């Protein structure tokens, strides 16, 4: 599809989903969201109950939201934007779609490494409100856990013909590879990407859940996925999903070195918001314990605000009971700018 047609299709979809005009006499914020979970209803109604601010929602996917904001320009009614993955948040920031904000509440609640770098005036363009880990799943019958407990081993010749992974150009992988670039430098990273191509059981296709299922059916033996896709299978009401989850082992990679790669679900105030005060109130609300619970648990992610913990049963099961693991400490804001360099490496090594 051409980019113009894609944009047109996105705009008509987004227009169809827009919940209606805002009445000037009632306080409201317009929220563009790439999240669609059952618990979000409670998240929003709880905010309206406590603040009296109504929420009008536009649901679209991440690319659709960014395309819509660009097309609308300064006429955009958007006040708050919810996106997933640091690569996409960085893209939105880079394209000037966000309004950097100052908020004592957010600066105290959200760890520095889970938010954007401040601009020259100290304003912060976006904040993370949940974390997800990029984990390795493996066939418990055929693969030894110690052969897949680091990202580096995904490229080791001992794992030849075993690896399934989604497209290298997907934001989840661009962020992981960008983080590896931070940890290992460009030469080792490119060799690592090449090693993964050599180890693939099949050419990249499908989403993360498809990779987990391909391990369960035996098409491959090792796969890479965001943690919440596995958690979703573990908690599924469908027996066939739970059977898939039971067949695979899960590793939080690099526990004895720099830690597992984590990414975020995040939010920003829209550049042309007509209700900045209400938008900041909503972001501050997202950092509260109640909202953190809805926001993180709704997608089986980890809450991030200081002092808030998770008791999600699937996350506990995946981490051997504790619910915790060692996460890398590089700022998520540092992986986004590596996207272009990583994509060039992917092209050179033939990582589709
Ligand atoms: Fe996802």
């Amino acid at each position: 599809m051409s980019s113009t047609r894609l944009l047109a299709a996105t705009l008509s979809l987004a227009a169809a989903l827009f919940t209606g005009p805002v009445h000037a006499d009632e306080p409201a914020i317009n929220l563009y969201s790439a999240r669609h979970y059952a618990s979000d209803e409670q998240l929003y109604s709880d905010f309206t109950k406590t603040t009296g601010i109504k929420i009008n929602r536009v649901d679209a996917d991440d690319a659709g939201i960014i395309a819509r904001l660009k097309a609308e320009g300064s006429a955009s009614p958007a006040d708050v934007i919810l996106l997933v993955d640091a690569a996409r948040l960085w893209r939105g920031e880079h394209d000037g779609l966000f309004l950097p904000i100052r908020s004592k509440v957010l600066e105290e609640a959200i760890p520095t490494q889970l938010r954007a770098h401040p601009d020259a005036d100290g304003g912060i363009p976006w904040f993370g409100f949940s974390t997800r880990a990029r984990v390795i799943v493996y066939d418990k019958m055929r693969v030894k856990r110690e052969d897949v407990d680091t990202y580096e081993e995904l490229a080791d010749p001992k794992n030849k013909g075993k690896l399934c992974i989604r497209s290298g150009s997907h934001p989840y992988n661009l962020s992981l590879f960008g983080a590896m670039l931070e940890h290992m430098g460009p030469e080792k990273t490119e060799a690592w990407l090449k090693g993964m191509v050599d180890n693939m059981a099949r050419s990249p296709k499908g989403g993360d859940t498809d990779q987990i299922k391909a391990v369960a059916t035996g098409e491959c033996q090792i796969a890479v996925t965001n943690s919440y896709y596995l958690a979703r299978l573990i908690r599924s009401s469908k027996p066939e999903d739970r059977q898939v989850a039971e067949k695979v082992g899960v590793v939080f990679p690099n526990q004895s070195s720099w830690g597992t790669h984590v990414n975020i679900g995040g939010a920003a105030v829209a550049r042309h918001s007509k209700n900045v005060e209400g938008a900041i109130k909503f972001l501050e609300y997202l950092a509260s314990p109640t909202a953190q619970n809805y926001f993180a648990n709704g997608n089986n992610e980890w809450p991030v605000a200081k002092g808030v913990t998770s008791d999600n049963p699937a996350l506990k099961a995946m981490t051997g009971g504790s619910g915790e693991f060692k996460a890398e400490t590089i700022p998520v804001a540092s992986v986004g700018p590596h996207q272009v360099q990583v994509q060039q490496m992917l092209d050179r090594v033939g990582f589709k």
Side-chain angles (χ1 to χ4, degrees):
M1 203 190 282
S2 77
S3 60
T4 328
R5 280 179 57 207
L6 178 65
L7 180 63
T10 305
L11 286 176
S12 59
L13 174 71
L17 291 167
F18 190 57
T19 45
V22 184
H23 302 287
D25 53 350
E26 56 183 298
I29 54 167
N30 298 319
L31 178 79
Y32 285 18
S33 172
R35 288 169 49 94
H36 329 278
Y37 307 117
S39 65
D40 287 359
E41 294 306 328
Q42 291 165 291
L43 177 76
Y44 300 137
S45 63
D46 184 64
F47 173 73
T48 303
K49 221 187 297 159
T50 22
T51 62
I53 301 173
K54 199 175 155 261
I55 295 176
N56 300 305
R57 221 163 83 216
V58 173
D59 286 320
D61 63 11
D62 299 81
I65 286 172
I66 287 187
R68 181 172 173 143
L69 287 168
K70 282 184 183 170
E72 291 172 340
S74 60
S76 177
D79 297 304
V80 171
I81 299 149
L82 298 185
L83 290 178
V84 293
D85 202 276
R88 292 183 177 122
L89 285 158
W90 178 81
R91 177 57 59 191
E93 175 189 350
H94 186 259
D95 292 349
L97 303 177
F98 304 153
L99 181 74
I101 57 164
R102 301 296 302 261
S103 158
K104 221 173 153 47
V105 172
L106 291 172
E107 282 166 42
E108 271 167 20
I110 308 298
T112 320
Q113 77 269 19
L114 299 179
R115 58 198 204 208
H117 296 308
D119 67 6
D121 304 320
I124 299 171
W126 49 263
F127 293 83
F129 290 98
S130 61
T131 54
R132 64 273 300 278
R134 198 124 181 89
V135 298
I136 297 172
V137 295
Y138 61 97
D139 181 338
K140 285 195 283 196
M141 306 299 283
R142 295 194 286 172
V143 175
K144 281 187 280 180
R145 185 184 175 87
E146 60 264 33
D147 282 343
V148 287
D149 59 4
T150 66
Y151 294 115
E152 296 94 305
E153 283 167 299
L154 295 174
D156 191 297
K158 71 186 169 189
N159 288 322
K160 197 166 180 60
K162 298 181 186 173
L163 176 66
C164 275
I165 186 165
R166 77 190 305 164
S167 168
S169 305
H170 189 276
Y172 299 166
N173 278 338
L174 288 178
S175 289
L176 168 63
F177 303 163
M180 292 298 274
L181 186 55
E182 281 285 310
H183 294 299
M184 307 197 296
E187 263 170 54
K188 280 188 181 167
T189 301
E190 186 158 342
W192 175 69
L193 293 170
K194 172 80 169 64
M196 278 198 286
V197 172
D198 293 342
N199 282 352
M200 283 178 191
R202 64 175 188 196
S203 192
K205 62 170 180 182
D208 283 357
T209 304
D210 299 309
Q211 317 308 317
I212 306 173
K213 288 183 174 168
V215 172
T217 60
E219 192 179 356
C220 32
Q221 298 179 39
I222 303 167
V224 178
T225 179
N226 278 356
S227 46
Y228 57 85
Y229 291 110
L230 179 60
R232 216 176 268 172
L233 293 173
I234 292 172
R235 297 184 77 179
S236 174
S237 57
K238 294 184 196 152
E240 59 269 30
D241 285 347
R242 295 197 302 273
Q243 276 163 20
V244 167
E246 275 158 26
K247 280 192 183 147
V248 304
V250 59
V251 160
F252 284 70
N254 295 62
Q255 293 300 285
S256 5
S257 59
W258 58 70
T260 300
H261 171 63
V262 290
N263 213 309
I264 54 170
V269 175
R271 166 68 68 182
H272 301 290
S273 169
K274 318 293 184 279
N275 185 359
V276 174
E277 200 187 317
I280 293 176
K281 252 189 207 158
F282 183 74
L283 262 58
E284 290 178 343
Y285 160 75
L286 285 183
S288 71
T290 317
Q292 278 283 286
N293 184 45
Y294 290 135
F295 194 89
N297 246 338
N299 189 33
N300 296 299
E301 293 181 76
W302 282 270
V304 303
K306 275 170 200 157
V308 183
T309 51
S310 164
D311 56 1
N312 184 302
L315 300 186
K316 285 196 165 157
M318 287 165 62
T319 50
S322 70
E324 286 172 24
F325 64 95
K326 179 182 174 184
E328 66 185 358
T329 55
I330 56 167
V332 289
S334 65
V335 309
H338 291 320
Q339 283 176 81
V340 174
Q341 194 183 355
V342 164
Q343 186 58 55
Q344 287 165 350
M345 290 180 181
L346 293 172
D347 293 342
R348 280 197 295 268
V349 304
F351 198 133
K352 299 256 165 59

